[in-house]
Amino acid sequence: MAEERLQRTARLPPAASTAAAIGVPALAAAASWNSLLLVVQGRVVPGWGVSAVLVVMSLVLRSALTQAERRASSSSSRSSREAASWTRLGSSLLIVTAVLGTTWGTVDDLISGAEYHVLRPAGPEGCTVVVRETSFLVIGNGEAYAVGATGLALGESGSWVVDDGYRPFDAGTYELDWGRDGGLLRVSGTGTDPVVSGGLTDIGCGW
């Protein structure tokens, strides 16, 4: 099924093919270098995971379009061939950018021991809070993301720092309260491992 879609894409008009060839790797690059994540059936897919999927799609699409260009090269004009070359170059640069961002995000999660938590209960209209906890040396960090009905969070809603690598969500020292217009997330430390900065995050889902 996916192969058939790519074959249909390869038969699109030149302008549409160019948009697809540039658009997909551009999305991959953006996803790899931005604070976003996706929730699918209760499972969190980090931005670098979204980017990895889009990179694979970009490479398969690029292959399909290249084959289509080779078949049509004998009848295409010089300007069309030059435009195709520029498109391939732009696509390649975007794919490399996405691969670098994906690698960086993966390594960062591994080194910091990142853990993702989907908090329950959900709020109004299914608004959900996802928390990313990390720790490095003697510092613990966390970010909260508001995930709407689309399952996508386009950036963090708030962050905090805790002393001595303490992870409040592993320990359960947090509170999430919902109202009509959104929620409030309170993060607490302990007497020996206090919250150094942050700790209160307003949660609101706009999509």
Side-chain angles (χ1 to χ4, degrees), residues 9-204:
T9 301
R11 293 194 294 268
L12 290 173
S17 296
T18 299
I22 295 296
V24 177
L27 287 174
S32 67
W33 289 103
N34 285 281
S35 298
L36 63 80
L37 52 79
L38 181 67
V39 177
V40 181
Q41 295 182 346
R43 295 182 179 275
V44 179
V45 182
W48 57 262
V50 175
S51 176
V53 172
L54 291 172
V55 165
V56 172
M57 291 177 59
S58 299
L59 293 173
V60 176
L61 176 61
R62 178 188 174 93
S63 176
L65 292 174
T66 299
Q67 292 176 11
E69 289 168 8
R70 287 174 179 171
R71 289 194 295 268
S73 60
S74 59
S75 59
S76 60
S77 64
R78 179 179 177 181
S79 60
S80 296
R81 291 194 296 270
E82 289 179 349
S85 297
W86 282 109
T87 298
R88 285 194 297 271
L89 176 60
S91 174
S92 298
L93 292 175
L94 288 169
I95 290 173
V96 169
T97 301
V99 169
L100 291 174
T102 300
T103 303
W104 175 268
T106 304
V107 171
D108 181 53
D109 267 11
L110 290 174
I111 291 177
S112 62
E115 295 180 352
Y116 294 85
H117 305 270
V118 180
L119 305 188
R120 294 289 185 260
E125 300 182 359
C127 185
T128 304
V129 180
V130 173
V131 168
R132 176 180 182 265
E133 283 192 301
T134 62
S135 61
F136 186 71
L137 298 178
V138 294
I139 295 296
N141 293 279
E143 301 100 35
Y145 299 81
V147 180
T150 62
L152 184 66
L154 299 178
E156 65 182 51
S157 297
S159 62
W160 53 89
V161 178
V162 188
D163 193 21
D164 203 23
Y166 182 73
R167 299 191 179 211
F169 290 84
D170 270 347
T173 55
Y174 71 92
E175 294 179 7
L176 175 60
D177 298 315
W178 291 104
R180 290 184 178 180
D181 300 323
L184 180 65
L185 179 64
R186 298 181 181 87
V187 181
S188 304
T190 67
T192 55
D193 302 318
V195 174
V196 178
S197 65
L200 285 177
T201 301
D202 289 319
I203 305 296

